[in-house]
């Protein structure tokens, strides 16, 4: 006790110095150029290089990924595991990927800047949860849940359909094996958006009036359109830019349809796909036909809410061929 009282001042001063040094170093690390901190690890390099050429290049890593202390002991443990993996040279973790839960935490950071887009997404069908999709009695009775459901619904789920729910049959009642999955979104922002996209340009909304009228116009138009969206391919755990996705030939009554060359429509059709014969309107296909043949999905649908209720007035009567006012025309 006498020893403690005698050296108490020294101990307190030492603790203060250690705290100042550690806190200063920690703050300096978070504020430093990521090229000299996080990206110094070879595991982070691929993400760093795509981020550096993306629309988010002026945003610090910690604004999306947080710090070692941003989520208490949990984040400290995660960051500690990353450091341990790097120092031990664990080749199994050379390609670091965020888990589904980590992606949803990162999505909260997206919301801080993209509040309008998030609100629109929340109001649309793409914000459906695991319980909404996989416990849908009408759909499960009609079609048995199977492994490929996760290709569009639950792209980032780390297990298989057998890990997610039971029974795998057309006879219920069905239940999720992990109840914590129930309210998680099956199509979060990252289903269509790659954070570290190598393309900094952003699409503008496409309308019928914007569409190119000649092949020369189309070529010039496409050069100005950098894909802001990408498809996450669950099987390969990678993204494909929308302009690199294939657009299949579509048919209606034996005739090949004119299909919009909007790259985002190529993304839509990956999930809203036709049957193997590529007949428009079959399965989940929504390819425009009839008087709207050739229009992009985005000509009518808001890209985040999917709402099309106000789209008619954008064309009728101003740029429509019929010249009829949508507020007075017979739409029955």
């Amino acid at each position: 006790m006498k020893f403690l009282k005698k050296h108490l001042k020294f101990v307190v001063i030492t603790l203060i110095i250690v705290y100042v040094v550690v806190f200063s170093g920690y703050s300096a690390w978070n504020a430093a150029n990521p090229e000299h901190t996080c990206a110094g690890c070879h595991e982070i390099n691929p993400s760093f290089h795509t981020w550096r050429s993306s629309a988010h290049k002026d945003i610090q890593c910690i604004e999306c990924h947080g710090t070692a202390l941003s989520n208490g002991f949990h984040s400290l443990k995660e960051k500690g595991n990353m450091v341990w993996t790097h120092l031990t040279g664990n080749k199994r973790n050379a390609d670091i990927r965020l888990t589904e839960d980590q992606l949803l935490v990162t999505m909260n950071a997206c919301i801080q800047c993209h509040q309008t887009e998030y609100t629109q997404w929340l109001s649309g069908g793409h914000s459906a949860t695991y319980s909404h999709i996989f416990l849908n009695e009408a759909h499960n009775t009609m079609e048995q849940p199977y492994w490929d459901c996760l290709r569009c619904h639950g792209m980032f789920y780390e297990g298989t359909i057998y890990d997610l729910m039971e029974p795998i049959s057309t006879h219920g009642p069905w239940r999720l094996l992990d109840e914590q999955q129930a309210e998680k979104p099956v199509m979060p922002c990252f289903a269509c958006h790659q954070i570290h996209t190598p393309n900094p340009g952003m699409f503008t909304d496409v309308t019928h009036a914007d569409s190119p009228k000649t092949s020369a116009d189309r070529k010039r138009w496409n050069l100005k359109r950098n894909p802001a969206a990408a498809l996450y391919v669950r099987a390969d755990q990678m993204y494909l830019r929308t302009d690199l996705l294939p657009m299949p030939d579509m048919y209606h009554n034996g005739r090949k349809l004119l299909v919009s060359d909007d790259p985002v429509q190529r993304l839509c059709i990956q999930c809203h796909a036709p049957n193997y014969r590529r007949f428009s309107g079959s399965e989940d296909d929504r390819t425009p036909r009839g008087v709207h043949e050739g229009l992009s999905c985005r000509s009518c649908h808001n890209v985040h809410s999917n709402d099309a209720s106000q789209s008619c007035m954008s064309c009728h009567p101003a740029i429509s061929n019929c010249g009829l006012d949508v507020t007075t025309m017979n739409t029955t």
Side-chain angles (χ1 to χ4, degrees):
M1 195 70 178
K2 291 181 179 180
F3 175 85
L4 182 60
K5 289 181 178 179
K6 183 178 180 180
H7 297 87
L8 182 59
K9 185 176 181 180
F10 172 78
V11 172
V12 171
I13 292 175
T14 302
L15 290 175
I16 292 174
I17 292 174
V18 170
Y19 175 80
V20 170
V21 170
V22 171
F23 182 77
S24 300
Y26 176 71
S27 301
W29 173 276
N30 290 333
N33 186 326
E35 189 170 11
H36 305 305
T37 56
C38 307
C41 300
H42 60 87
E43 298 96 337
I44 307 295
N45 254 311
S47 296
F48 168 74
H49 286 299
T50 50
W51 162 82
R52 189 165 57 177
S53 63
S54 75
H56 294 136
K57 63 182 181 296
D58 295 323
I59 300 175
Q60 287 283 9
C61 304
I62 61 173
E63 294 187 44
C64 295
H65 294 286
T67 68
L69 299 177
S70 58
N71 196 21
F73 178 76
H74 178 71
S75 57
L76 185 62
K77 180 183 176 183
E78 283 190 337
K79 299 297 190 291
N81 284 336
M82 291 179 184
V83 173
W84 175 255
T85 297
H86 176 67
L87 294 178
T88 56
N90 191 335
K91 299 299 182 184
R92 291 177 302 172
N93 295 308
D95 186 13
I96 294 178
R97 298 179 185 277
L98 298 181
T99 65
E100 182 179 45
D101 286 338
Q102 290 171 331
L103 281 168
L104 295 179
V105 170
T106 304
M107 181 173 156
N108 289 330
C110 303
I111 296 169
Q112 304 307 310
C113 294
H114 301 283
Q115 294 183 13
T116 300
E117 291 81 1
Y118 173 71
T119 302
Q120 292 173 344
W121 169 82
L122 205 58
S123 69
H126 287 165
S127 62
T129 62
Y130 277 89
S131 60
H132 178 85
I133 296 295
F134 291 99
L135 302 184
N136 187 307
E137 184 176 341
H139 188 276
N140 289 351
T141 303
M142 178 182 65
E143 182 178 5
Q144 174 179 305
Y146 73 121
W147 64 269
D148 198 42
C149 296
L150 294 168
R151 177 172 58 87
C152 295
H153 307 123
M155 296 177 179
F156 302 99
Y157 182 66
E158 295 160 69
T160 68
I161 192 71
Y162 295 98
D163 301 314
L164 178 64
M165 63 179 293
E166 65 176 13
I168 307 300
S169 74
T170 54
H171 302 287
W174 297 270
R175 73 180 188 92
L176 296 175
L177 295 176
D178 182 0
E179 293 183 357
Q180 293 184 353
Q181 288 293 126
E183 298 308 311
K184 293 179 182 178
V186 293
M187 291 166 283
C189 304
F190 310 113
C192 300
H193 294 285
Q194 182 180 3
I195 306 173
H196 297 152
T197 173
N199 295 279
M202 301 295 282
F203 278 134
T204 55
D205 287 339
V206 179
T207 66
H208 184 67
D210 297 325
S211 302
K213 303 301 185 294
T214 67
S215 59
D217 289 339
R218 181 177 293 110
K219 185 175 181 180
R220 286 192 295 271
W221 193 55
N222 281 335
L223 288 175
K224 292 189 281 186
R225 303 167 77 206
N226 295 312
L231 172 72
Y232 182 75
V233 184
R234 173 181 166 83
D236 298 312
Q237 294 187 313
M238 63 174 289
Y239 281 93
L240 281 178
R241 290 186 346 223
T242 51
D243 61 329
L244 298 179
L245 293 171
M247 173 56 79
D249 292 335
M250 297 296 298
Y251 298 91
H252 180 63
N253 293 334
R255 181 179 67 85
K256 183 178 176 181
L257 286 174
L258 172 65
V259 178
S260 170
D261 65 351
D262 178 7
V264 173
Q265 182 154 326
R266 304 179 197 178
L267 175 62
C268 301
I269 205 170
Q270 301 304 312
C271 292
H272 296 282
N275 63 14
Y276 73 99
R277 293 185 177 182
R278 291 172 287 173
F279 288 167
S280 66
S282 61
E283 300 291 344
D284 293 316
D285 178 66
R286 301 290 188 274
T287 303
R289 59 183 187 270
V291 294
H292 295 139
E293 181 179 341
L295 293 186
S296 163
C297 300
R298 296 192 297 161
S299 296
C300 298
H301 292 277
N302 178 284
V303 291
H304 289 103
S305 70
N306 321 123
D307 180 49
S309 60
Q310 303 299 316
S311 62
C312 300
M313 289 185 288
S314 64
C315 293
H316 296 276
I319 60 174
S320 64
N321 293 323
C322 63
L324 297 176
D325 187 342
V326 70
T327 61
T328 60
M329 66 190 291
N330 184 351
T331 59
T332 58

